[in-house]
């Protein structure tokens, strides 16, 4: 239910009679949405789902509908269902912080589905809604995702329709894995935001997965979801 509807009680009453149903006031809807978010943050996804089921989505304004969809996707990602999560994440018509959050979730869902180029595209688009101080974290997420998603040289044949920034990220990650020509990449992508990764790769700070697998076993590290989702979501 929107604010405009509350200002026209007669029209609202008529609509309710025609529909044969009652409407829940927005404050109660928001309280339920907040409770669902808190349950999800506590790892109680069953309760979060039950609370979301109680919400009449048609009675929410656009901002709260986006919050609802984001939370549904967050729960599905936590359950390792990235393809289902994508169905709830529609960036069209969304702006500001919510758009940034949707693109973030789409990126992680696509990485989880094994689609590294698609995930990279989503995170590149996300920067349109970030401040420059947030670019570094977003780019670290791109780089981490590219190295945690299986890829080889064959992926390069499917990048033609992608924008230059996305293509550059994916190509560099593949070249690092395959010990390819990094100088050639730098010449092909002048000013690319991934260029700073080359120096750290050469210094041994960022290594291909093949090289990492030959090192001594390390203690179990947090999963991609744990590292990138921790504390991110708020309603």
């Amino acid at each position: 239910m929107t604010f405009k509807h509350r200002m026209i009680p007669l029209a609202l009453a008529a609509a309710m009679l025609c529909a044969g149903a009652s409407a829940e006031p927005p404050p109660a809807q928001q309280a339920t949405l907040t409770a669902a978010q808190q349950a999800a943050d506590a790892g109680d996804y069953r309760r979060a789902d039950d609370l979301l089921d109680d919400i009449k989505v048609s009675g929410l304004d656009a901002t709260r509908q986006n919050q609802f969809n984001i939370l549904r996707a967050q729960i599905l990602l936590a359950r390792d269902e990235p393809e289902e999560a994508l169905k709830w994440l529609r960036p069209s018509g969304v702006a500001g912080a919510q758009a940034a959050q949707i693109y973030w979730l789409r990126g992680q869902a696509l990485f989880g589905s094994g689609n590294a180029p698609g995930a990279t595209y989503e995170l590149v688009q996300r920067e349109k809604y970030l401040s420059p101080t947030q670019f570094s974290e977003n780019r670290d997420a791109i780089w981490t995702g590219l190295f945690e998603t299986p890829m080889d040289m064959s992926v390069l044949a499917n990048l033609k329709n992608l924008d230059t920034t996305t293509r550059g990220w994916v190509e560099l990650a593949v070249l690092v894995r395959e010990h390819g020509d990094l100088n050639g990449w730098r010449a092909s992508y002048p000013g690319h935001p991934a260029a700073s990764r080359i120096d750290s790769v050469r210094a041994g700070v960022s290594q291909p997965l093949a090289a990492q697998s030959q090192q001594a076993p390390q203690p179990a590290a947090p999963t991609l979801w744990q590292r990138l989702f921790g504390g991110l979501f708020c309603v």
Side-chain angles (χ1 to χ4, degrees):
M1 184 190 305
T2 66
F3 181 77
K4 181 179 178 181
H5 286 156
R6 289 194 289 126
M7 294 296 291
I8 312 175
L10 291 178
L12 175 58
M16 290 169 56
L17 288 172
C18 290
S22 61
E24 188 176 6
Q29 296 269 47
Q30 180 61 49
T32 304
L33 193 56
T34 299
Q37 179 70 68
Q38 292 170 344
D41 290 344
D44 191 349
Y45 302 121
R46 177 174 295 180
R47 173 166 171 73
D49 266 340
D50 288 343
L51 287 166
L52 291 178
D53 288 342
D54 289 339
I55 294 174
K56 301 177 180 66
V57 181
S58 61
L60 300 176
D61 60 23
T63 298
R64 291 189 177 93
Q65 284 187 21
N66 292 334
Q67 291 176 342
F68 180 96
N69 293 339
I70 287 169
L71 183 51
R72 282 287 195 198
Q74 179 191 354
I75 293 169
L76 288 163
L77 283 172
R79 289 174 170 165
D80 198 21
E81 299 181 47
E83 294 179 359
E84 289 300 312
L86 281 170
K87 297 176 182 178
W88 292 93
L89 298 169
R90 306 176 187 88
S92 178
V94 184
Q98 285 192 330
Q101 196 171 16
I102 288 173
Y103 278 114
W104 173 269
L105 289 170
R106 286 181 62 83
Q108 304 319 312
L110 286 165
F111 274 134
S113 300
N115 184 350
T120 302
Y121 171 81
E122 299 292 341
L123 293 181
V124 167
Q125 297 306 303
R126 180 176 184 249
E127 292 200 1
K128 297 176 182 178
Y129 305 96
L130 300 179
S131 68
T133 59
Q134 296 172 305
F135 289 171
S136 178
E137 181 180 4
N138 194 63
R139 293 168 186 178
D140 285 346
I142 292 173
W143 196 238
T144 299
L146 285 169
F147 275 96
E148 293 202 352
T149 306
M151 285 192 303
D152 56 32
M153 294 293 283
S154 65
V155 76
L156 300 181
N158 300 317
L159 303 180
K160 297 178 182 178
N161 295 326
L162 293 175
D163 61 279
T164 301
T165 303
T166 299
R167 192 166 61 247
W169 276 109
V170 178
E171 285 189 15
L172 181 59
V174 172
L175 290 173
V176 169
R177 287 181 176 214
E178 303 294 329
H179 305 285
D181 180 8
L182 302 186
N183 287 331
W185 179 92
R186 194 192 291 271
S188 297
Y189 295 96
H192 193 283
S196 62
R197 309 284 162 168
I198 293 178
D199 292 335
S200 55
V201 167
R202 286 173 169 163
V205 175
S206 177
Q207 301 178 8
L209 293 186
Q212 292 176 2
S213 65
Q214 297 172 6
Q215 297 176 355
Q218 299 294 322
T223 65
L224 176 63
W225 312 118
Q226 291 169 333
R227 287 203 307 275
L228 299 183
F229 287 164
L232 180 65
F233 303 98
C234 297
V235 173

